[in-house]
Amino acid sequence: MRHYLKRRPGLLEVYVLCFVATFFGGCVPVLLPGHVREAWNGPAWLYTVLLGLYGLGTVLGSLYIAQRPKPVGGGRRALFLTGATSAALCLFALMPSPLTGALAIVATGGALIALLSQLTALVQFGLVDEVRGRVMSLFLVTFQGGYALGGLAAGAIASRVSTTTTILACGVAVGVAALGGWWLDSHLGET
């Protein structure tokens, strides 16, 4: 397994990008109840509506990836979607009203799930049968671990600052990952 990962440097980058995306990008569902209350002084039904719109965004993002051809050049698409996730998170954090926040949360859900679906396709595409199970299990550990640890960290930070600042910082962190991938001449295009 270790030797296989060394021969495919793009796979390690997919793992790192997946962890960063879930650690920082997965903050919205965790912080949404507090953000609705803190930023917009909204009632419980507003949280429910926004969470439903986030779900709508994830469906739209999944459909976007499903209609794409094989993930040829998918590494570049993944970096683009990382930037889109960053922009959507920052926009959501800065929205002054629930109505504009509703539009931004659809984009946030769509961009994040499109990114994660693209990364999953990149990992699976081209794997030989002998390592597929091990490679995917490691990928799922980074996927689920990023969400769990990111939610814990985002909640701890938001309790000390604000949900707006926390979501904005998470968006910036995802943006730094996107820029880092482009600047470091990422191997993602080789996956």
Side-chain angles (χ1 to χ4, degrees):
M1 170 77 173
R2 185 175 48 209
H3 302 294
Y4 186 78
L5 289 175
K6 284 182 182 178
R7 287 190 309 240
R8 303 236 1 241
L11 269 180
L12 187 58
E13 291 178 15
V14 170
Y15 288 143
V16 170
L17 189 55
C18 178
F19 185 80
V20 168
T22 55
F23 188 92
F24 294 108
C27 68
V28 170
V30 173
L31 298 177
L32 189 57
H35 190 68
V36 166
R37 188 174 48 254
E38 182 183 302
W40 300 314
N41 198 24
W45 66 263
L46 180 59
Y47 162 72
T48 305
V49 168
L50 289 174
L51 192 58
L53 290 172
Y54 183 80
L56 173 65
T58 62
V59 169
L60 295 175
S62 296
L63 291 174
Y64 166 75
I65 291 299
Q67 58 90 25
R68 305 302 303 166
K70 288 182 6 184
V72 175
R76 297 221 181 266
R77 186 180 305 133
L79 290 174
F80 169 77
L81 289 168
T82 305
T85 301
S86 169
L89 282 166
C90 292
L91 279 174
F92 177 71
L94 298 173
M95 287 296 114
S97 73
L99 183 60
T100 54
L103 297 173
I105 202 165
V106 171
T108 302
L112 182 61
I113 202 68
L115 169 60
L116 296 174
S117 297
Q118 182 66 40
L119 292 175
T120 303
L122 284 173
V123 170
Q124 291 179 347
F125 186 69
L127 288 177
V128 294
D129 290 337
E130 293 81 33
V131 297
R132 181 170 285 123
R134 289 174 283 192
V135 169
M136 286 309 297
S137 66
L138 183 59
F139 178 76
L140 290 173
V141 166
T142 62
F143 188 91
Q144 294 297 332
Y147 268 128
L149 296 173
L152 182 64
I157 292 168
S159 68
R160 288 178 174 64
V161 290
S162 70
T163 57
T164 300
T165 303
T166 305
I167 295 169
L168 188 61
C170 287
V172 169
V174 173
V176 167
L179 290 174
W182 286 104
W183 185 70
L184 293 173
D185 195 24
S186 173
H187 294 284
L188 279 172
E190 300 170 16
T191 56

